[in-house]
């Protein structure tokens, strides 16, 4: 089954997988305080604005990590840095940016991990934001409402691998974050 891009958010960790039929030539790049989805060197030229974005950022105070499938990750993180409660930062940013205006009306998905953890989606017909007490999946297609799922790994690299290997079609790359004593640790996986 093809569910598109998806996230799994738990109270202490989160992971994101890029799945794509149209733009498979992408990878995750580590940058200071962020993981970025970007085209590989051999990717064809495109003017598609949804191909490259920060998929994971941490707040400057190290209290929250934000994960998602597009540019909404940046304003959510910035709102958290300004002191917004996680639910409000997530809901306001998803509502403001709305779903992607592409051929598929692709939903935007995002999650916040911290003292309070949330998962959210904005679709053409709804905005849903829910607190998470257990690993919760939301995807751009098919599974486009939060639902419980197993996430066995706790190490970020292992979580990214677990999502990459999930039985959904067209994996490209994955990123993950986990809370630790000093803040957050991140990891990613690009396949074999």
């Amino acid at each position: 089954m093809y569910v598109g891009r998806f996230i799994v958010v738990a109270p202490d960790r989160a992971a994101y997988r890029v799945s794509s039929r149209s733009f498979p030539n992408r990878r995750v790049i580590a940058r200071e305080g962020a993981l970025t989805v970007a085209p590989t060197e051999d990717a064809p030229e495109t003017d598609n604005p949804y191909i490259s974005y920060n998929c994971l950022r941490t707040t400057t105070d190290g209290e929250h990590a934000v994960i998602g499938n597009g540019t909404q990750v940046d304003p959510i993180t910035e709102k958290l840095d300004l002191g917004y409660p996680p639910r409000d930062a997530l809901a306001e940013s998803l509502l403001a940016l709305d779903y992607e205006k592409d051929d598929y009306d692709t939903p935007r998905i995002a999650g916040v991990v911290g003292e309070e953890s949330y998962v959210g989606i904005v679709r053409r017909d709804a905005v849903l934001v829910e607190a998470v007490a257990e690993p919760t999946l939301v995807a751009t297609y098919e599974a486009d409402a939060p639902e419980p799922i197993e996430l066995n790994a706790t190490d970020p690299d292992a979580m990214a691998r677990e999502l990459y290997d999930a039985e959904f079609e067209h994996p490209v790359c994955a990123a993950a974050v986990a809370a630790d004593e000093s803040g957050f640790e991140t990891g990613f996986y690009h396949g074999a």
Side-chain angles (χ1 to χ4, degrees):
M1 172 170 47
Y2 183 66
V3 298
R5 295 168 279 166
F6 65 93
I7 58 174
V8 176
V9 179
D12 60 344
R13 62 198 192 282
Y16 167 61
R17 186 176 101 178
V18 177
S19 305
S20 181
R21 296 179 282 212
S22 306
F23 298 99
N25 299 345
R26 289 185 276 173
R27 62 184 173 176
V28 176
I29 301 169
R31 299 189 177 171
E32 190 171 328
L35 294 179
T36 302
V37 173
T40 59
E41 293 174 6
D42 61 341
E45 290 288 324
T46 181
D47 60 356
N48 186 315
Y50 304 117
I51 299 303
S52 184
Y53 50 88
N54 289 328
C55 67
L56 191 151
R57 283 186 57 194
T58 55
T59 55
T60 54
D61 64 7
E63 296 292 319
H64 299 95
V66 179
I67 199 160
N69 72 324
T71 57
Q72 68 273 18
V73 168
D74 294 329
I76 295 167
T77 305
E78 291 160 10
K79 286 185 183 312
L80 290 167
D81 279 335
L82 291 170
Y84 280 61
R87 183 187 68 112
D88 296 351
L90 186 58
E92 286 186 27
S93 298
L94 288 174
L95 188 59
L97 288 170
D98 210 3
Y99 59 90
E100 295 178 359
K101 304 306 190 274
D102 60 8
D103 293 341
Y104 308 103
D105 294 337
T106 302
R108 290 182 189 267
I109 54 176
V112 176
V113 177
E115 189 173 316
E116 298 175 354
S117 298
Y118 291 87
V119 65
I121 183 170
V122 60
R123 309 183 309 232
R124 183 179 179 90
D125 65 340
V127 177
L128 306 172
V129 175
E130 294 184 8
V132 297
E134 62 185 330
T136 303
L137 171 121
V138 68
T140 55
Y141 311 117
E142 301 297 327
D144 65 353
E147 61 184 64
I149 190 170
E150 285 190 30
L151 179 61
N152 298 312
T154 56
D155 170 77
D157 288 327
M159 280 190 292
R161 177 69 187 258
E162 185 176 339
L163 254 65
Y164 185 92
D165 290 340
E167 294 194 22
F168 300 119
E169 296 175 354
H170 303 287
V172 173
C173 56
V177 62
D180 64 19
E181 311 80 46
S182 61
F184 291 97
E185 180 183 352
T186 62
F188 53 88
Y189 184 72
H190 297 127

